[in-house]
Amino acid sequence: DQQVKQNSPSLSVQEGRISILNCDYTNSMFDYFLWYKKYPAEGPTFLISISSIKDKNEDGRFTVFLNKSAKHLSLHIVPSQPGDSAVYFCAASGNNYGQNFVFGPGTRLSVLP
Amino acid sequence: ETGVTQSPTHLIKTRGQQVTLRCSSQSGHNTVSWYQQALGQGPQFIFQYYREEENGRGNFPPRFSGLQFPNYSSELNVNALELDDSALYLCASSPLGGGVPYEQYFGPGTRLTVT
């Protein structure tokens, strides 16, 4: 049973446009959410996070939105750049010390020049 | 500042054998977590070590075990290897209790192939 779902295995976006990556979760005990991106042959790199007390967090071109009632979060990248092409993982956690992160299966983003 | 390093990069083992994977945490980080990433899936939490003690475990059998050393480096040991253990094994370190509490820094991983 997947507790964190990313239903789009892949996404292609034109350079300069907005990329929207979606994530759904089933466990209502999750209270902290993160996005990681992963390039080939590298480990995942932390991108942005949001706690359940917020519904939006912004960092430069990256914004994460959280809809707790729908158990849904999304990552917006504006404007998208070719260097953003990577696999993006949504992850969730339900305690104060970061143990037991639950990751989604990932979405492969391709930003076309 | 040195990032998270893992060794070896690649490893091929035979079913039934034992394997040890190693991880050096980022400078100043006292917590290490291990994840298994099968092909086409997200990382799956195996366990976490804090101050040389196991501090949480995912849904993995006891043949997956670990150690953390006084310098906060860590080992993942897998006994009686099975074909399904073939995966990318990721180590992540974090400064538990300081900074952003949930932020974990990942190493590049060890690719284990069991034949």
Side-chain angles (χ1 to χ4, degrees):
Chain A
D1 179 33
Q2 269 193 337
Q3 297 187 73
V4 178
K5 303 176 186 181
Q6 295 177 257
N7 292 324
S8 298
S10 62
L11 175 69
S12 292
V13 170
Q14 209 68 37
E15 181 179 3
R17 306 293 291 267
I18 183 171
S19 295
I20 300 177
L21 296 98
N22 293 304
C23 176
D24 297 287
Y25 61 97
T26 58
N27 189 339
S28 57
M29 298 301 291
F30 288 146
D31 61 5
Y32 206 90
F33 306 88
L34 306 91
W35 285 93
Y36 281 84
K37 71 175 179 182
K38 186 178 186 300
Y39 295 119
E42 295 183 14
T45 303
F46 171 76
L47 202 53
I48 193 169
S49 63
I50 189 167
S51 74
S52 58
I53 62 172
K54 292 186 174 182
D55 54 18
K56 177 182 173 181
N57 188 26
E58 193 171 350
D59 184 2
R61 297 186 297 115
F62 302 92
T63 303
V64 56
F65 295 92
L66 175 62
N67 182 334
K68 290 186 290 295
S69 60
K71 295 191 179 67
H72 176 84
L73 62 156
S74 60
L75 174 67
H76 293 211
I77 306 174
V78 183
S80 300
Q81 299 173 353
D84 296 329
S85 297
V87 177
Y88 287 77
F89 292 102
C90 170
S93 176
N95 62 64
N96 290 328
Y97 293 101
Q99 68 193 45
N100 200 21
F101 279 94
V102 181
F103 281 78
T107 295
R108 181 176 300 278
L109 173 66
S110 299
V111 180
L112 309 173
Chain B
E1 186 178 85
T2 307
V4 179
T5 60
Q6 293 186 244
S7 62
T9 306
H10 295 90
L11 201 53
I12 300 175
K13 289 286 190 178
T14 303
R15 191 171 54 182
Q17 285 188 316
Q18 178 265 344
V19 69
T20 297
L21 311 181
R22 295 178 175 82
C23 170
S24 291
S25 59
Q26 185 162 321
S27 175
H29 289 186
N30 56 18
T31 301
V32 173
S33 301
W34 285 92
Y35 292 83
Q36 180 195 68
Q37 185 180 9
L39 204 59
Q41 298 182 23
Q44 188 172 358
F45 176 74
I46 303 175
F47 44 55
Q48 183 183 81
Y49 276 83
Y50 171 60
R51 291 185 176 177
E52 304 177 53
E53 297 281 337
E54 189 177 287
N55 185 42
R57 188 179 183 94
N59 189 26
F60 280 82
R63 57 189 186 86
F64 286 78
S65 63
L67 282 174
Q68 187 180 31
F69 300 100
N71 66 354
Y72 304 131
S73 65
S74 176
E75 286 183 355
L76 164 65
N77 299 291
V78 187
N79 293 322
L81 283 167
E82 301 177 359
L83 296 178
D84 284 348
D85 295 333
S86 295
L88 179 69
Y89 288 85
L90 294 162
C91 167
S93 73
S94 61
L96 189 69
V100 179
Y102 296 97
E103 190 171 319
Q104 294 188 341
Y105 297 83
F106 283 84
T110 293
R111 172 73 62 190
L112 172 65
T113 302
V114 182
T115 61

PDB file of all heavy atoms in Angstrom, chain A residues 95-113:
ATOM      1  N   ASN A  95       7.101  12.412  12.360  1.00  0.00           N
ATOM      2  CA  ASN A  95       7.605  12.590  13.721  1.00  0.00           C
ATOM      3  C   ASN A  95       8.604  13.716  13.728  1.00  0.00           C
ATOM      4  O   ASN A  95       8.941  14.283  12.717  1.00  0.00           O
ATOM      5  CB  ASN A  95       8.226  11.292  14.240  1.00  0.00           C
ATOM      6  CG  ASN A  95       9.403  10.866  13.400  1.00  0.00           C
ATOM      7  OD1 ASN A  95      10.409  11.556  13.331  1.00  0.00           O
ATOM      8  ND2 ASN A  95       9.270   9.751  12.729  1.00  0.00           N
ATOM      9  N   ASN A  96       9.120  14.013  14.895  1.00  0.00           N
ATOM     10  CA  ASN A  96       9.953  15.210  15.025  1.00  0.00           C
ATOM     11  C   ASN A  96      11.413  15.022  14.656  1.00  0.00           C
ATOM     12  O   ASN A  96      12.169  15.975  14.660  1.00  0.00           O
ATOM     13  CB  ASN A  96       9.880  15.705  16.475  1.00  0.00           C
ATOM     14  CG  ASN A  96       8.518  16.279  16.800  1.00  0.00           C
ATOM     15  OD1 ASN A  96       7.866  16.832  15.940  1.00  0.00           O
ATOM     16  ND2 ASN A  96       8.095  16.146  18.041  1.00  0.00           N
ATOM     17  N   TYR A  97      11.832  13.793  14.412  1.00  0.00           N
ATOM     18  CA  TYR A  97      13.261  13.581  14.216  1.00  0.00           C
ATOM     19  C   TYR A  97      13.613  13.041  12.839  1.00  0.00           C
ATOM     20  O   TYR A  97      14.683  12.540  12.622  1.00  0.00           O
ATOM     21  CB  TYR A  97      13.806  12.642  15.297  1.00  0.00           C
ATOM     22  CG  TYR A  97      13.753  13.285  16.649  1.00  0.00           C
ATOM     23  CD1 TYR A  97      12.747  12.968  17.549  1.00  0.00           C
ATOM     24  CD2 TYR A  97      14.676  14.249  17.021  1.00  0.00           C
ATOM     25  CE1 TYR A  97      12.683  13.580  18.786  1.00  0.00           C
ATOM     26  CE2 TYR A  97      14.627  14.856  18.251  1.00  0.00           C
ATOM     27  CZ  TYR A  97      13.627  14.525  19.133  1.00  0.00           C
ATOM     28  OH  TYR A  97      13.565  15.125  20.348  1.00  0.00           O
ATOM     29  N   GLY A  98      12.679  13.172  11.907  1.00  0.00           N
ATOM     30  CA  GLY A  98      13.038  12.863  10.533  1.00  0.00           C
ATOM     31  C   GLY A  98      13.230  11.400  10.238  1.00  0.00           C
ATOM     32  O   GLY A  98      13.666  11.038   9.173  1.00  0.00           O
ATOM     33  N   GLN A  99      12.947  10.511  11.177  1.00  0.00           N
ATOM     34  CA  GLN A  99      13.077   9.092  10.853  1.00  0.00           C
ATOM     35  C   GLN A  99      11.875   8.656  10.050  1.00  0.00           C
ATOM     36  O   GLN A  99      10.823   9.256  10.063  1.00  0.00           O
ATOM     37  CB  GLN A  99      13.199   8.261  12.126  1.00  0.00           C
ATOM     38  CG  GLN A  99      11.950   8.221  12.981  1.00  0.00           C
ATOM     39  CD  GLN A  99      12.254   7.647  14.350  1.00  0.00           C
ATOM     40  OE1 GLN A  99      13.233   7.992  14.982  1.00  0.00           O
ATOM     41  NE2 GLN A  99      11.412   6.741  14.792  1.00  0.00           N
ATOM     42  N   ASN A 100      12.063   7.550   9.356  1.00  0.00           N
ATOM     43  CA  ASN A 100      10.980   6.974   8.592  1.00  0.00           C
ATOM     44  C   ASN A 100      10.344   7.952   7.614  1.00  0.00           C
ATOM     45  O   ASN A 100       9.145   8.197   7.631  1.00  0.00           O
ATOM     46  CB  ASN A 100       9.895   6.383   9.490  1.00  0.00           C
ATOM     47  CG  ASN A 100       9.052   5.381   8.730  1.00  0.00           C
ATOM     48  OD1 ASN A 100       9.483   4.855   7.708  1.00  0.00           O
ATOM     49  ND2 ASN A 100       7.860   5.148   9.212  1.00  0.00           N
ATOM     50  N   PHE A 101      11.176   8.552   6.764  1.00  0.00           N
ATOM     51  CA  PHE A 101      10.660   9.258   5.613  1.00  0.00           C
ATOM     52  C   PHE A 101      10.027   8.241   4.688  1.00  0.00           C
ATOM     53  O   PHE A 101      10.572   7.182   4.436  1.00  0.00           O
ATOM     54  CB  PHE A 101      11.795   9.949   4.846  1.00  0.00           C
ATOM     55  CG  PHE A 101      12.209  11.254   5.436  1.00  0.00           C
ATOM     56  CD1 PHE A 101      13.256  11.332   6.324  1.00  0.00           C
ATOM     57  CD2 PHE A 101      11.555  12.418   5.084  1.00  0.00           C
ATOM     58  CE1 PHE A 101      13.641  12.547   6.854  1.00  0.00           C
ATOM     59  CE2 PHE A 101      11.932  13.630   5.605  1.00  0.00           C
ATOM     60  CZ  PHE A 101      12.976  13.696   6.496  1.00  0.00           C
ATOM     61  N   VAL A 102       8.854   8.574   4.154  1.00  0.00           N
ATOM     62  CA  VAL A 102       8.200   7.741   3.158  1.00  0.00           C
ATOM     63  C   VAL A 102       8.249   8.503   1.828  1.00  0.00           C
ATOM     64  O   VAL A 102       7.750   9.625   1.739  1.00  0.00           O
ATOM     65  CB  VAL A 102       6.736   7.439   3.542  1.00  0.00           C
ATOM     66  CG1 VAL A 102       6.098   6.553   2.486  1.00  0.00           C
ATOM     67  CG2 VAL A 102       6.682   6.769   4.910  1.00  0.00           C
ATOM     68  N   PHE A 103       8.875   7.899   0.841  1.00  0.00           N
ATOM     69  CA  PHE A 103       9.056   8.529  -0.461  1.00  0.00           C
ATOM     70  C   PHE A 103       8.019   8.038  -1.464  1.00  0.00           C
ATOM     71  O   PHE A 103       7.599   6.880  -1.422  1.00  0.00           O
ATOM     72  CB  PHE A 103      10.450   8.211  -1.016  1.00  0.00           C
ATOM     73  CG  PHE A 103      11.559   9.034  -0.431  1.00  0.00           C
ATOM     74  CD1 PHE A 103      12.066   8.744   0.826  1.00  0.00           C
ATOM     75  CD2 PHE A 103      12.101  10.095  -1.139  1.00  0.00           C
ATOM     76  CE1 PHE A 103      13.098   9.503   1.370  1.00  0.00           C
ATOM     77  CE2 PHE A 103      13.143  10.852  -0.615  1.00  0.00           C
ATOM     78  CZ  PHE A 103      13.632  10.552   0.640  1.00  0.00           C
ATOM     79  N   GLY A 104       7.645   8.921  -2.375  1.00  0.00           N
ATOM     80  CA  GLY A 104       6.859   8.514  -3.523  1.00  0.00           C
ATOM     81  C   GLY A 104       7.763   7.895  -4.578  1.00  0.00           C
ATOM     82  O   GLY A 104       8.985   7.895  -4.431  1.00  0.00           O
ATOM     83  N   PRO A 105       7.198   7.370  -5.661  1.00  0.00           N
ATOM     84  CA  PRO A 105       7.993   6.696  -6.693  1.00  0.00           C
ATOM     85  C   PRO A 105       8.734   7.632  -7.620  1.00  0.00           C
ATOM     86  O   PRO A 105       9.592   7.185  -8.386  1.00  0.00           O
ATOM     87  CB  PRO A 105       6.942   5.888  -7.454  1.00  0.00           C
ATOM     88  CG  PRO A 105       5.676   6.646  -7.266  1.00  0.00           C
ATOM     89  CD  PRO A 105       5.750   7.254  -5.891  1.00  0.00           C
ATOM     90  N   GLY A 106       8.429   8.925  -7.563  1.00  0.00           N
ATOM     91  CA  GLY A 106       9.159   9.887  -8.366  1.00  0.00           C
ATOM     92  C   GLY A 106       8.458  10.242  -9.665  1.00  0.00           C
ATOM     93  O   GLY A 106       7.661   9.464 -10.214  1.00  0.00           O
ATOM     94  N   THR A 107       8.743  11.467 -10.134  1.00  0.00           N
ATOM     95  CA  THR A 107       8.286  11.939 -11.439  1.00  0.00           C
ATOM     96  C   THR A 107       9.502  12.444 -12.193  1.00  0.00           C
ATOM     97  O   THR A 107      10.255  13.279 -11.673  1.00  0.00           O
ATOM     98  CB  THR A 107       7.257  13.090 -11.304  1.00  0.00           C
ATOM     99  OG1 THR A 107       6.083  12.612 -10.670  1.00  0.00           O
ATOM    100  CG2 THR A 107       6.910  13.664 -12.676  1.00  0.00           C
ATOM    101  N   ARG A 108       9.684  11.954 -13.412  1.00  0.00           N
ATOM    102  CA  ARG A 108      10.816  12.407 -14.232  1.00  0.00           C
ATOM    103  C   ARG A 108      10.394  13.648 -15.011  1.00  0.00           C
ATOM    104  O   ARG A 108       9.484  13.583 -15.846  1.00  0.00           O
ATOM    105  CB  ARG A 108      11.268  11.312 -15.193  1.00  0.00           C
ATOM    106  CG  ARG A 108      12.459  11.724 -16.057  1.00  0.00           C
ATOM    107  CD  ARG A 108      12.940  10.566 -16.920  1.00  0.00           C
ATOM    108  NE  ARG A 108      13.356   9.424 -16.124  1.00  0.00           N
ATOM    109  CZ  ARG A 108      14.531   9.293 -15.546  1.00  0.00           C
ATOM    110  NH1 ARG A 108      15.436  10.253 -15.694  1.00  0.00           N
ATOM    111  NH2 ARG A 108      14.829   8.219 -14.852  1.00  0.00           N
ATOM    112  N   LEU A 109      11.038  14.768 -14.704  1.00  0.00           N
ATOM    113  CA  LEU A 109      10.752  16.037 -15.388  1.00  0.00           C
ATOM    114  C   LEU A 109      11.780  16.275 -16.489  1.00  0.00           C
ATOM    115  O   LEU A 109      12.982  16.179 -16.243  1.00  0.00           O
ATOM    116  CB  LEU A 109      10.792  17.195 -14.392  1.00  0.00           C
ATOM    117  CG  LEU A 109      10.674  18.609 -14.979  1.00  0.00           C
ATOM    118  CD1 LEU A 109       9.299  18.808 -15.606  1.00  0.00           C
ATOM    119  CD2 LEU A 109      10.940  19.666 -13.925  1.00  0.00           C
ATOM    120  N   SER A 110      11.286  16.564 -17.668  1.00  0.00           N
ATOM    121  CA  SER A 110      12.156  16.940 -18.783  1.00  0.00           C
ATOM    122  C   SER A 110      11.785  18.354 -19.210  1.00  0.00           C
ATOM    123  O   SER A 110      10.624  18.601 -19.572  1.00  0.00           O
ATOM    124  CB  SER A 110      11.986  15.973 -19.962  1.00  0.00           C
ATOM    125  OG  SER A 110      12.333  14.663 -19.589  1.00  0.00           O
ATOM    126  N   VAL A 111      12.743  19.260 -19.145  1.00  0.00           N
ATOM    127  CA  VAL A 111      12.514  20.638 -19.574  1.00  0.00           C
ATOM    128  C   VAL A 111      13.183  20.796 -20.928  1.00  0.00           C
ATOM    129  O   VAL A 111      14.400  20.676 -21.057  1.00  0.00           O
ATOM    130  CB  VAL A 111      13.081  21.640 -18.559  1.00  0.00           C
ATOM    131  CG1 VAL A 111      12.826  23.073 -19.044  1.00  0.00           C
ATOM    132  CG2 VAL A 111      12.451  21.425 -17.192  1.00  0.00           C
ATOM    133  N   LEU A 112      12.373  21.058 -21.913  1.00  0.00           N
ATOM    134  CA  LEU A 112      12.847  21.104 -23.295  1.00  0.00           C
ATOM    135  C   LEU A 112      13.253  22.517 -23.682  1.00  0.00           C
ATOM    136  O   LEU A 112      12.526  23.463 -23.428  1.00  0.00           O
ATOM    137  CB  LEU A 112      11.729  20.610 -24.222  1.00  0.00           C
ATOM    138  CG  LEU A 112      11.111  19.258 -23.814  1.00  0.00           C
ATOM    139  CD1 LEU A 112       9.907  18.934 -24.671  1.00  0.00           C
ATOM    140  CD2 LEU A 112      12.165  18.167 -23.888  1.00  0.00           C
ATOM    141  N   PRO A 113      14.444  22.672 -24.307  1.00  0.00           N
ATOM    142  CA  PRO A 113      14.909  24.014 -24.688  1.00  0.00           C
ATOM    143  C   PRO A 113      14.069  24.585 -25.829  1.00  0.00           C
ATOM    144  O   PRO A 113      13.418  23.856 -26.568  1.00  0.00           O
ATOM    145  CB  PRO A 113      16.350  23.788 -25.131  1.00  0.00           C
ATOM    146  CG  PRO A 113      16.578  22.342 -25.190  1.00  0.00           C
ATOM    147  CD  PRO A 113      15.415  21.623 -24.574  1.00  0.00           C
TER     148      PRO A 113
END
